[in-house]
Amino acid sequence: MTLDATTAISNSTSTTPAPAEARSRGTTTPLRFGYGTNGLADLRLDDALGLLADLGYDGVGLTLDHMHLDPLAPDLPARTHRLARRLDALGLDVTVETGARYVLDPRRKHGPSLLDADPDDRARRVDLLIRAVRVAADLGAHAVHCFSGITPTDTDPGTAWRRLAEALTPVLEAAATADVPLAVEPEPGHLLATLADFHRLRRELGDPEHLGLTLDIGHCQCLEPLPPAACVRAAAPWIRHVQIEDMRRGVHEHLPFGDGEIDFPPVLAALADTGYQGLTVVELPRHSHAGPHFAAQSLPFLHRAAAPSVPPLGDPSATSEGSST
């Protein structure tokens, strides 16, 4: 994000309270944690959901894929209805994610994208996203996640941005009809890679009501000029979905908590202060080989990191505000 973009965000005219104001008004929101099924790809979906419920998660980030609610297989509405009943029985909320690697093309990771030169290929990705919106509406999901894709070789940036805006227009129309936010994720290496890029898309589309942001905390650590906690505060008015994992500066590698460089308590405090009410979903897609292990480890870590700090007994700062000295 450029300095100008950072300044523009901080000067936003949004009515969302600033974090300090939110705290003073008593609107700090307890966070709700989920785990992404793309990190449990070796489990059947029903087993994955049962595991997350048993571990105490509040919800699940459901990646539509061939092993977990295949969006292209027959009888999608009926299968979605059965899943909705299962989620309700387990007490799990859900967000729908669309980052499956090979769901549309068995030879191209994340292909085709919204930026492909072939309009028929772009239409296939648009169709997937519209299907995802319908699934989200049927599941009562709080958002649908998506990303732009990588700019194809020999495609100039202006053309790529035009394709992205045109491709997302019918998806946003579907999202508005279903009343489900579309949460676009800045993804390192993609056309839309940063928070500044998200704001460019928002402006080019005319700031539609149902266009929101997926904020990936690791991506903030990886490449944003602001620290992750500051990214949360700057992006608060537009956040509709949150993904979380550890990461190192300049390296796009999703890591288990404690293996990277992120200081999580300030990040989670900032997120709670914004009043965010969606799921904060652990995103470890390359750790499915040990998914149950990392799911079991991640939730206690997040609960500890999100717990408000309590001064030790005898600490002068623990004196109540109403007492005299």
Side-chain angles (χ1 to χ4, degrees):
M1 184 188 299
T2 65
L3 180 61
D4 289 344
T6 305
T7 303
I9 292 173
S10 63
N11 291 337
S12 167
T13 57
S14 168
T15 58
T16 299
E21 293 172 336
R23 185 182 289 111
S24 68
R25 297 174 189 175
T27 57
T28 297
T29 302
L31 299 178
R32 301 187 303 130
F33 298 112
Y35 200 92
T37 59
N38 61 0
L40 298 168
D42 294 310
L43 276 66
R44 297 177 181 87
L45 179 56
D46 193 62
D47 292 337
L49 297 177
L51 169 72
L52 297 181
D54 288 345
L55 290 173
Y57 280 91
D58 301 295
V60 58
L62 174 67
T63 296
L64 302 182
D65 208 344
H66 63 87
M67 80 293 284
H68 293 155
L69 195 65
D70 187 340
L72 304 180
D75 301 323
L76 180 59
R79 290 183 288 115
T80 303
H81 181 66
R82 289 194 294 272
L83 175 58
R85 291 203 306 262
R86 175 66 169 158
L87 290 167
D88 185 62
L90 293 172
L92 293 173
D93 289 332
V94 62
T95 186
V96 172
E97 302 191 353
T98 61
R101 293 186 179 97
Y102 296 101
V103 68
L104 291 177
D105 189 326
R107 292 175 175 83
R108 282 197 299 161
K109 180 182 176 183
H110 296 150
S113 82
L114 298 172
L115 309 179
D116 279 18
D118 187 334
D120 290 338
D121 281 346
R122 297 199 299 273
R124 291 174 60 201
R125 177 62 60 173
V126 169
D127 175 70
L128 175 66
L129 296 181
I130 291 175
R131 287 171 182 256
V133 168
R134 293 170 182 158
V135 168
D138 289 345
L139 293 179
H142 72 81
V144 173
H145 148 277
C146 71
F147 44 57
S148 69
I150 298 171
T151 304
T153 305
D154 299 328
T155 300
D156 66 88
T159 298
W161 279 105
R162 185 175 65 254
R163 289 175 185 168
L164 179 61
E166 290 174 353
L168 284 179
T169 296
V171 183
L172 284 164
E173 291 172 355
T177 299
D179 197 21
V180 177
L182 183 69
V184 179
E185 178 187 10
E187 182 79 19
H190 284 211
L191 174 70
L192 197 156
T194 65
L195 290 173
D197 293 333
F198 167 75
H199 288 290
R200 173 175 177 171
L201 175 67
R202 186 173 60 83
R203 290 191 300 270
E204 292 197 3
L205 288 171
D207 198 15
E209 178 183 355
H210 284 81
L211 177 65
L213 173 71
T214 291
L215 188 68
D216 188 304
I217 302 302
H219 295 174
C220 295
Q221 175 69 23
C222 179
L223 52 71
E224 293 288 348
L226 296 175
C231 288
V232 169
R233 298 181 190 279
W238 301 279
I239 296 174
R240 300 296 179 266
H241 181 44
V242 175
Q243 297 173 342
I244 193 166
E245 67 285 317
D246 218 337
M247 203 168 286
R248 301 187 183 98
R249 183 69 179 172
V251 182
H252 184 205
E253 181 182 4
H254 291 231
L255 299 172
F257 299 117
D259 288 1
E261 301 170 342
I262 299 176
D263 183 14
F264 283 97
V267 174
L268 296 178
L271 190 61
D273 284 350
T274 69
Y276 172 68
Q277 297 181 9
L279 291 172
T280 299
V281 172
V282 179
E283 188 80 1
L284 292 174
R286 297 188 178 181
H287 292 75
S288 280
H289 64 283
H293 166 76
F294 287 108
Q297 281 195 337
S298 296
L299 188 59
F301 178 94
L302 290 169
H303 281 158
R304 290 192 300 271
S309 59
V310 179
L313 291 175
D315 187 335
S317 65
T319 304
S320 65
E321 295 180 359
S323 63
S324 59
T325 57

